[in-house]
Amino acid sequence: MRCPYCGSDDTQVKDSRPAEDAAAIRRRRSCPACGSRFTTFERVQLRELTVLKTDGRRAPFDREKLARSIRVALRKRPVDEDRVERIVNGIQRRLEMEAETEVTSRQIGEIVMETLKEVDQVAYVRFASVYRNFGEARDFRAFLGELDGK
């Protein structure tokens, strides 16, 4: 593993332990060249996923982008980081198991909304406002009306 600080190829694993409910391995590493310490995670990847964007472009699935969007929706909500990791892991596993090698951004968005609806209503509305591109207050009112009607 290359050191993110100095670029040296010679790093050493100091500690390994299970992480994310044993779905990953967390490794503490050190670099003898510059003395820096850093953490890496090793996860099982069932298959390579490609995301088909709404404009027709294709991009590799980016787990960190998914995690960032969920963290933004959950910002200042009573949901801890471990729960966020479990949510992201669950969504990624579901995509890898259910989908073909290509998944649409719409499918990902719907799964995230479905998941956030169960976790936190405020985060669900926040995510929906970006995902469904709310432009005015009436868009929120209509969406909340749908939410109350269910």
Side-chain angles (χ1 to χ4, degrees):
M1 174 66 61
R2 184 180 304 269
C3 174
Y5 301 104
C6 73
S8 173
D9 286 331
D10 183 32
T11 60
Q12 299 170 342
V13 175
K14 294 297 183 184
D15 179 49
S16 292
R17 64 180 65 176
E20 302 168 12
D21 293 333
I25 296 175
R26 177 184 182 269
R27 298 193 195 283
R28 287 292 298 154
R29 296 177 178 267
S30 69
C31 176
C34 69
S36 298
R37 292 181 175 267
F38 58 100
T39 302
T40 60
F41 289 88
E42 185 178 312
R43 293 180 181 84
V44 173
Q45 184 171 342
L46 298 177
R47 68 173 71 155
E48 290 284 329
L49 292 174
T50 301
V51 178
L52 180 60
K53 307 281 188 168
T54 53
D55 65 3
R57 290 181 300 121
R58 286 174 170 73
F61 175 77
D62 185 349
R63 183 185 190 286
E64 286 309 310
K65 184 176 179 182
L66 174 65
R68 258 191 323 274
S69 66
I70 291 172
R71 282 187 186 99
V72 166
L74 288 166
R75 185 173 291 145
K76 295 187 180 182
R77 300 300 303 153
V79 178
D80 64 14
E81 186 59 29
D82 287 342
R83 181 89 188 268
V84 173
E85 281 300 316
R86 287 194 305 272
I87 291 168
V88 173
N89 287 339
I91 292 171
Q92 184 176 6
R93 287 286 166 262
R94 183 171 166 185
L95 290 170
E96 288 174 346
M97 292 172 67
E98 291 179 2
E100 295 299 316
T101 56
E102 202 166 83
V103 61
T104 66
S105 56
R106 180 167 302 282
Q107 287 173 294
I108 296 170
E110 292 299 325
I111 291 171
V112 171
M113 284 187 53
E114 179 184 309
T115 304
L116 286 177
K117 187 174 186 180
E118 300 296 318
V119 173
D120 187 280
Q121 294 280 310
V122 172
Y124 171 64
V125 172
R126 284 179 180 168
F127 186 85
S129 72
V130 174
Y131 174 66
R132 293 192 176 167
N133 200 18
F134 292 175
E136 299 177 4
R138 69 175 168 221
D139 297 334
F140 280 95
R141 279 193 292 275
F143 182 75
L144 293 173
E146 291 173 23
L147 192 59
D148 287 338
K150 291 182 181 180

